[in-house]
Amino acid sequence: MTRAPDPRGGRLSSVRAKASLGATLVVAVALVAAGLAVLLSLRSDLTDQADREADAAAREVALDIIAEQVPGRTPYSRLELPGAEEHPVQVADERGRLIAVSDDLEGISGTGVAAVTPVRSPAPRPTAAAQDDDGAQDDDGAQDDAAQDDDGAEDDHGSGNDGSGRHSGGTDDDDDPAIGAVGKPGALTTGRATVDGATGEYRFSSIEVTDTSGRTVVVHAGATLAARQSAVGTAAAAMLAGLPVLLLVVGGVTWLVTRRALRPVEGIRREMAAITASEDLSRRVPEPATHDEVARLARTTNETLTALEASVERQRRFVADASHELRSPIASLRTQLEVGDAHPELLDVPGAVADTVRLQQLAADLLLLARLDAGERPGRARFDLGDLAAGEIAVRTTDRVKVSLEPGEEPGEEPGEDPGEEPGGPGGSLEVTGSRSQLARILGNLLDNAQRHAASSVTVSVHRRAGRIVLAVADDGPGVPEAERERVFERFVRLDDARARDDGGAGLGLALARDVAHRHGGTLTVARGPLGGARFELSLPPA
């Protein structure tokens, strides 16, 4: 009976769906990580480019200050600075007061100088040469004094001029660049600037320069980050647009490939469902021509079906043969009882007892075979196999042929080994481990078989051979033909000369004996005996 598919399941619960979803998620994570790495790398590169532009602009303005600031000639307010849209520039003194700024710059942040309107810049102090050229020493000196008063550089801060025109205000002169030199660029910062009403993001570079008059100023120059923002935004938009398409392609391809790979599995499933519904174990699942895991699964499934078919067939034969074997003694016993009921003087009591005993033995054999087929494991009792054989022989007082127990060392025993002493313990050379009753059952079945075929002699011996305990039962009967020496161990098998039920059993004794031997880790074989008859040998591992 096939089970109906789970209605809660569907395509989303299939292996194909799970594989496609898993592959898509993995690719999505990988693409997102790669995209972020690309965007961060692009952003970093464009930021470095803006940093270089800002450094270049700041250095260019600093060089212009050195070149144009001839003492007494060009004030800072007349410097030609770059356009504020591309490179907003601020020039501040060492106190942070703005003295020059780019045109159209309406607001700025990130430089440390928030003002966009320069203060009144003092005129540079003229040198001695300049005084001689224009002959206006007294007037210029007066202007310089006034500028210094307005500026607060001398009166308010206690700083002045050192006689050479070098400004020596509230900072350490040792850190300032030399006269007419440009210092090293400072730390780069990110800020914003407003030009003609438009606000944008910029990278700012700061650099100190000392003009020819000895005054040290700081130049702040920026480079726009509009290119960075545009490039990163465009790349991100392209990635976001292409990501879903790529994921759809990956998911679709994975779905198709998985579907093709699992198509043989679906064929195996359908055939197994059909076999289950039809109960025809002779059918087999299709085996792909490939040499992959699916092909191996199909071959293993077919091997399992073959073993299952053989097992079911053996079980059917067993049930049929058991029914046949049970029907005969039951029918015979019923007939005898009915005759005895009608004619008491004709009742064959010994025959009825014999049929009852045979029926009891057959039922016991069938029950033991059922337990063995169910996987029952033997016990772990430890006992001497020679004592077991002697005890079983002693109770068989009604046998047709007297059974003799032959002691002594078996030919072919390992040289130098004492048969009367088990390695590792005295007096245990013939000890085995297992179920005493089941091993006694083996010996009983072998003796029953020998009694049916022996002419005048049945012998039993227990000895050691090659480190194992061997129990042998031999008779002087016709023996077992070599071609039949394996077949006699099959269930319900009787050779032609033993088919009469009056002469033999149901054909379960030897099959049962071999099954019990295998459960004990041993073997049961048949060969030609020394008297020409059959010789059955049970070989068991020592305890």
Side-chain angles (χ1 to χ4, degrees):
M1 179 179 179
T2 45
R3 187 176 62 180
D6 189 354
R8 293 172 298 177
R11 291 187 178 273
L12 293 180
S13 62
S14 65
V15 175
R16 284 180 295 173
K18 293 177 180 178
S20 301
L21 181 60
T24 303
L25 290 177
V26 170
V27 172
V29 171
L31 289 178
V32 169
L36 289 176
V38 170
L39 292 178
L40 291 176
S41 177
L42 177 62
R43 188 176 187 275
S44 177
D45 290 342
L46 293 177
T47 301
D48 291 341
Q49 180 180 350
D51 291 344
R52 290 191 295 270
E53 293 178 359
D55 284 338
R59 184 169 293 274
E60 182 179 356
V61 172
L63 293 176
D64 289 344
I65 290 174
I66 295 174
E68 296 182 6
Q69 281 296 315
V70 178
R73 293 288 185 264
T74 307
Y76 281 95
S77 59
R78 299 181 183 178
L79 282 174
E80 293 184 1
L81 300 178
E85 185 176 356
E86 292 294 328
H87 299 293
V89 175
Q90 289 178 308
V91 180
D93 60 13
E94 289 185 304
R95 296 191 181 95
R97 296 180 303 178
L98 188 65
I99 57 177
V101 66
S102 297
D103 295 338
D104 300 328
L105 181 62
E106 300 174 359
I108 192 169
S109 64
T111 62
V113 181
V116 293
T117 302
V119 299
R120 186 170 61 87
S121 176
R125 179 181 295 274
T127 61
Q131 293 175 0
D132 294 339
D133 288 342
D134 59 14
Q137 179 178 359
D138 296 352
D139 296 336
D140 290 340
Q143 293 176 358
D144 290 343
D145 294 339
Q148 289 177 2
D149 293 338
D150 294 339
D151 202 46
E154 183 174 356
D155 296 339
D156 295 338
H157 298 282
S159 60
N161 199 292
D162 60 1
S164 61
R166 176 75 177 266
H167 182 74
S168 56
T171 60
D172 189 358
D173 292 342
D174 293 338
D175 295 335
D176 295 338
I179 296 176
V182 178
K184 295 181 179 179
L188 292 161
T189 59
T190 301
R192 306 181 68 82
T194 302
V195 181
D196 290 336
T199 301
E201 195 172 6
Y202 291 81
R203 288 287 285 178
F204 292 99
S205 175
S206 301
I207 190 170
E208 289 186 342
V209 58
T210 302
D211 59 21
T212 54
S213 66
R215 185 179 186 183
T216 300
V217 296
V218 181
V219 178
H220 303 284
T224 181
L225 293 176
R228 185 190 75 176
Q229 296 171 348
S230 176
V232 172
T234 302
M239 291 179 182
L240 291 176
L243 181 62
V245 177
L246 185 57
L247 293 181
L248 286 176
V249 172
V250 170
V253 171
T254 305
W255 176 276
L256 294 177
V257 171
T258 309
R259 178 183 181 184
R260 181 179 180 85
L262 294 179
R263 187 175 299 165
V265 178
E266 178 61 21
I268 294 173
R269 188 204 63 78
R270 284 198 300 266
E271 186 63 25
M272 288 296 294
I275 292 173
T276 304
S278 64
E279 299 183 357
D280 182 8
L281 296 177
S282 63
R283 299 173 62 172
R284 296 294 180 266
V285 301
E287 294 187 14
T290 58
H291 300 282
D292 54 8
E293 293 82 355
V294 177
R296 291 196 293 271
L297 172 64
R299 286 192 291 271
T300 303
T301 302
N302 285 334
E303 292 172 0
T304 303
L305 289 174
T306 301
L308 183 60
E309 181 186 15
S311 176
V312 171
E313 184 62 27
R314 184 169 61 251
Q315 190 72 16
R316 287 174 179 172
R317 289 199 309 267
F318 174 78
V319 172
D321 292 338
S323 301
H324 180 72
E325 295 295 334
L326 288 172
R327 182 179 60 183
S328 298
I330 291 175
S332 175
L333 182 61
R334 177 181 177 181
T335 300
Q336 294 182 47
L337 293 176
E338 288 176 350
V339 170
D341 182 52
H343 305 281
E345 69 279 2
L346 298 179
L347 177 62
D348 183 8
V349 176
V353 172
D355 285 340
T356 303
V357 171
R358 182 168 176 265
L359 184 62
Q360 181 183 8
Q361 292 176 345
L362 180 59
D365 289 344
L366 292 175
L367 180 60
L368 181 56
L369 282 175
R371 293 206 311 265
L372 293 176
D373 289 342
E376 179 182 286
R377 308 303 300 176
R380 302 300 298 170
R382 180 169 178 164
F383 53 90
D384 190 288
L385 192 59
D387 294 342
L388 174 66
E392 287 295 316
I393 293 173
V395 300
R396 297 180 70 93
T397 58
T398 59
D399 285 343
R400 181 179 61 86
V401 178
K402 183 176 177 55
V403 180
S404 60
L405 179 61
E406 293 185 352
E409 187 174 314
E410 176 70 13
E413 185 168 348
E414 295 178 356
E417 187 173 25
D418 183 6
E421 181 167 324
E422 174 76 2
S429 61
L430 299 180
E431 285 190 345
V432 295
T433 301
S435 172
R436 186 183 183 94
S437 61
Q438 291 184 7
L439 292 180
R441 187 67 171 274
I442 292 180
L443 179 57
N445 289 350
L446 294 179
L447 291 175
D448 289 343
N449 183 74
Q451 289 290 330
R452 284 193 293 268
H453 299 285
S456 61
S457 174
V458 176
T459 61
V460 177
S461 63
V462 183
H463 53 271
R464 294 176 59 86
R465 179 193 299 163
R468 294 177 72 85
I469 309 301
V470 179
L471 182 149
V473 178
D475 62 68
D476 60 350
V480 180
E482 186 173 357
E484 303 287 345
R485 289 177 182 173
E486 284 298 320
R487 184 169 171 267
V488 294
F489 293 106
E490 296 180 5
R491 297 177 181 181
F492 299 105
V493 170
R494 293 188 299 270
L495 301 183
D496 291 338
D497 60 352
R499 288 204 176 264
R501 288 186 176 85
D502 293 339
D503 296 333
L508 288 176
L510 295 179
L512 181 62
R514 173 168 276 189
D515 285 349
V516 172
H518 288 169
R519 289 293 190 278
H520 285 75
T523 59
L524 180 62
T525 58
V526 60
R528 182 179 177 81
L531 300 179
R535 177 185 173 88
F536 288 87
E537 287 189 352
L538 171 66
S539 176
L540 297 173

